[in-house]
Amino acid sequence: MNDVRFYKLLISVNALIPLGLLLIDASNGRLGANPIEFFLRTTGVLTLTFLLITLAVTPLRKIFGWNSLIKYRRMLGLFAFFYGCLHLVTYSIFDKSLGFSAIVADVIQRPFIAIGMIAFTLLVPLAITSTNGMVKRLGGKNWARLHKLAYVAAILGVIHFWMIVKSDIFYPALFGVVLATSFFIRLVWPKKQAIQRAIN
Amino acid sequence: MAAKKFSELPASEITPEHVYLNRRNFIRAGLVAGSAVATGLTYKFFNPQPAQQVATAEIAKIETPKVVSTVGEPNSFEDITNYNNFYEFSTDKRAVAQKARKLITRPWTVEVGGLVQKPRTFDIDEILKFPQEERIYRFRCVEAWSMVIPWIGFPVKSLLDQVEPLGTAKYVAFETRYDKGAMQSSFSAGIDFPYVEGLRLDEAYHPLAILATGLYGKQMPNQNGAPVRLVVPWKYGFKSIKSIVKITLTDSEPSTTWNLAGPSEYGFYSNVNPQVDHPRWSQATERRIGELSMRDTLMFNGYADEVAHLYDGMDLKKYF
């Protein structure tokens, strides 16, 4: 196994550990008094976490010159999408009993649901166009432009989280700060220096 | 000194391929195992298991309730005592049980005063001497989850009768103990302490409104508001203020904590009402703890027959 394949395996194992622990706790009845709420919240937080890790790849390359990280970005983004799917499916089944009209009504009436739904919807074309074939078909420039939607999804994700907490905004604020920092680095970190460091 | 020619390197100094591969596999296995443990521990750090149960003393004499009010199987003692909103300790419902162990409930006094004939400070032992009865009530949190809880307690009116409220008294204000040393909530909790709540006097006099001193036949666990708390089953849970140290009769509507924190989201009345949504989420349905799907929320949490008359002629959308 070459190094890239090994690191992909390493990332996959670690990305699936939270899900594994969640399922083990669930099967032992150890998610607490409100297991659905816990599952929903945890998958939501994991979605945001993987989105932020994905968006941290470019800043990390710029600062530390870890250019090889780019090889793992697609995979990290797909894990964000994976947890987002789990989050949406949990909500649809347990909160809405798979009632399509109830979900639509929720999206219309609840801004935080609408924002979460838009964020998820934005991830769908990104997941679909994540294959090498699609990159070629779209052309690098178009593909890159399309995938800027990931930033929008992350911002909406943080707002979605912020809107549902009752009064303690610590965690949504933390995600917001991390996201803002990564945007800041992306915008202001001088390119030249990044290249210099990459060479060193 | 010139470097040795490649051909001169003794074969014995070349790492054999299988050793090299073994070493690499060994390092890789270590990386997988080490990072997996680190990830697992990180997950566990952010999602700790609820605490083990704290045992409290049995309540000796429990009388048969005069008001029979609820149907439905009560939630388990474990669920009731490990899923608590008590922001003074933590904003994480699963973390409160552990942190509330620090609450000191003896000695404890409740100061009752304001617009009353006979202001008086009750010792907790005096409060426990009021005839205690079991009241199995539905409990509906504003966060759209609910439980059925077998409280032990006595009508608020029994206590108020002893201090003889004046004719000018129209409201009752309640205050939770605020012990900064024991109550170390998140700096970002978002509400001010001490926690304060209030009822209209006729609401407080309603036979369903009780001061609860225990649940499941045992003295109140700390996380549920030891040693004495209010329970008003037709209102959202946050109205049922915990760990009370002060009760004041007033002639004007008292401030209430959640109303101060979010006036557009939490009103003074906060009656359970499936027709009036929280601005951010629906109040039409709720998740009963122990059930997987949602059930319909009932008007006044199912106590409409008993309490609806208190609000005759009031616009409940305005007085939410």
Side-chain angles (χ1 to χ4, degrees):
Chain A
M1 202 193 297
N2 66 34
D3 276 355
V4 172
R5 286 189 64 184
F6 169 71
Y7 284 119
K8 282 187 175 171
L9 175 80
L10 189 68
I11 290 169
S12 305
V13 167
N14 282 284
L16 290 171
I17 279 175
L19 178 64
L21 291 173
L22 198 52
L23 292 177
I24 289 169
D25 281 348
S27 65
N28 295 331
R30 299 194 63 175
L31 293 182
N34 198 345
I36 302 299
E37 185 234 349
F38 186 83
F39 200 92
L40 200 52
R41 186 163 47 88
T42 307
T43 49
V45 166
L46 286 166
T47 308
L48 259 186
T49 305
F50 278 98
L51 256 184
L52 294 198
I53 294 175
T54 310
L55 293 180
V57 166
T58 297
L60 289 174
R61 292 170 71 205
K62 280 192 161 188
I63 298 178
F64 302 107
W66 296 342
N67 282 323
S68 58
L69 280 184
I70 194 71
K71 292 176 190 142
Y72 312 102
R73 189 169 68 172
R74 164 167 57 196
M75 175 174 232
L76 290 165
L78 285 172
F79 272 113
F81 182 67
F82 169 70
Y83 279 111
C85 289
L86 282 179
H87 185 63
L88 179 61
V89 164
T90 310
Y91 157 82
S92 305
I93 294 178
F94 294 104
D95 275 11
K96 298 290 144 192
S97 311
L98 286 177
F100 182 72
S101 55
I103 294 173
V104 171
D106 226 14
V107 171
I108 294 167
Q109 287 166 24
R110 320 268 156 237
F112 92 93
I113 297 277
I115 289 172
M117 206 65 91
I118 293 167
F120 177 80
T121 311
L122 293 180
L123 293 180
V124 175
L126 307 194
I128 293 172
T129 58
S130 65
T131 59
N132 289 335
M134 285 306 267
V135 180
K136 264 192 203 138
R137 245 200 254 176
L138 284 172
K141 244 185 193 169
N142 284 333
W143 185 91
R145 207 176 294 153
L146 176 68
H147 281 246
K148 291 228 155 71
L149 285 178
Y151 313 140
V152 183
I155 294 169
L156 293 178
V158 170
I159 296 173
H160 169 68
F161 189 16
W162 198 299
M163 285 183 80
I164 196 55
V165 298
K166 216 162 57 167
S167 70
D168 187 347
I169 47 120
F170 179 76
Y171 282 107
L174 182 67
F175 279 111
V177 167
V178 171
L179 185 61
T181 309
S182 104
F183 279 147
F184 183 73
I185 295 168
R186 193 184 284 271
L187 291 174
V188 306
W189 199 270
K191 261 194 178 152
K192 214 175 166 189
Q193 200 176 344
I195 293 162
Q196 200 59 45
R197 289 203 177 204
I199 292 165
N200 288 343
Chain B
M1 194 178 104
K4 272 186 194 173
K5 275 188 192 157
F6 180 72
S7 58
E8 286 172 29
L9 195 69
S12 61
E13 281 185 24
I14 300 170
T15 311
E17 194 183 2
H18 71 277
V19 173
Y20 167 75
L21 284 179
N22 269 345
R23 195 177 294 158
R24 196 170 70 156
N25 284 340
F26 186 74
I27 291 168
R28 284 179 167 186
L31 265 176
V32 171
S35 66
V37 169
T39 305
L41 289 175
T42 308
Y43 175 86
K44 287 289 175 192
F45 175 79
F46 285 106
N47 302 288
Q49 282 300 322
Q52 289 303 301
Q53 193 39 62
V54 187
T56 58
E58 301 272 338
I59 293 176
K61 232 177 71 188
I62 300 166
E63 306 190 358
T64 327
K66 291 169 200 90
V67 184
V68 180
S69 40
T70 295
V71 281
E73 191 65 23
N75 281 94
S76 69
F77 186 73
E78 197 195 345
D79 282 351
I80 295 171
T81 54
N82 281 298
Y83 195 68
N84 312 97
N85 272 319
F86 202 156
Y87 272 34
E88 286 85 336
F89 293 103
S90 171
T91 54
D92 175 1
K93 287 184 276 296
R94 306 195 329 153
V96 168
Q98 176 66 30
K99 293 190 173 173
R101 287 172 190 228
K102 281 189 179 172
L103 180 69
I104 296 159
T105 57
R106 295 289 188 286
W108 189 281
T109 56
V110 182
E111 186 191 332
V112 190
L115 300 174
V116 298
Q117 203 75 255
K118 298 177 177 168
R120 184 176 154 189
T121 297
F122 292 85
D123 189 84
I124 187 61
D125 290 324
E126 292 174 286
I127 285 172
L128 289 168
K129 280 192 188 111
F130 282 87
Q132 310 283 323
E133 52 185 76
E134 182 168 70
R135 296 283 186 93
I136 302 172
Y137 283 160
R138 285 179 287 266
F139 183 94
R140 168 61 157 80
C141 180
V142 75
E143 297 165 0
W145 55 267
S146 65
M147 293 192 187
V148 173
I149 305 178
W151 301 108
I152 309 294
F154 60 95
V156 180
K157 187 171 187 298
S158 309
L159 184 101
L160 295 182
D161 281 348
Q162 298 222 346
V163 295
E164 297 175 19
L166 299 172
T168 48
K170 293 283 178 281
Y171 295 90
V172 193
F174 300 86
E175 188 177 312
T176 295
R177 174 169 181 162
Y178 185 41
D179 174 353
K180 277 188 190 174
M183 295 169 159
Q184 293 171 335
S185 187
S186 159
F187 66 91
S188 56
I191 59 172
D192 286 332
F193 304 123
Y195 194 95
V196 288
E197 256 307 335
L199 295 174
R200 231 167 46 192
L201 190 57
D202 60 337
E203 295 177 323
Y205 276 167
H206 193 282
L208 285 179
I210 58 167
L211 287 168
T213 57
L215 55 88
Y216 266 113
K218 292 176 179 154
Q219 288 189 16
M220 194 67 78
N222 286 0
Q223 60 268 39
N224 295 86
V228 60
R229 67 171 291 170
L230 182 68
V231 176
V232 200
W234 68 93
K235 291 176 180 283
Y236 292 119
F238 68 85
K239 292 293 291 180
S240 295
I241 184 171
K242 296 184 172 88
S243 305
I244 299 167
V245 288
K246 200 170 168 189
I247 299 175
T248 313
L249 284 283
T250 65
D251 55 3
S252 57
E253 191 179 284
S255 301
T256 59
T257 293
W258 279 100
N259 180 248
L260 291 170
S264 63
E265 301 194 330
Y266 311 97
F268 173 78
Y269 286 94
S270 290
N271 293 313
V272 175
N273 188 342
Q275 283 138 39
V276 178
D277 285 338
H278 186 281
R280 288 180 283 156
W281 58 83
S282 167
Q283 296 294 26
T285 58
E286 66 198 48
R287 176 167 286 116
R288 174 68 52 80
I289 297 304
E291 294 178 355
L292 292 181
S293 48
M294 309 287 274
R295 56 160 74 199
D296 287 341
T297 290
L298 304 173
M299 188 63 203
F300 294 113
N301 202 20
Y303 300 99
D305 288 347
E306 291 91 340
V307 303
H309 67 90
L310 293 171
Y311 311 101
D312 279 346
M314 282 175 71
D315 179 359
L316 296 176
K317 281 199 164 66
K318 188 179 169 202
Y319 298 101
F320 59 92

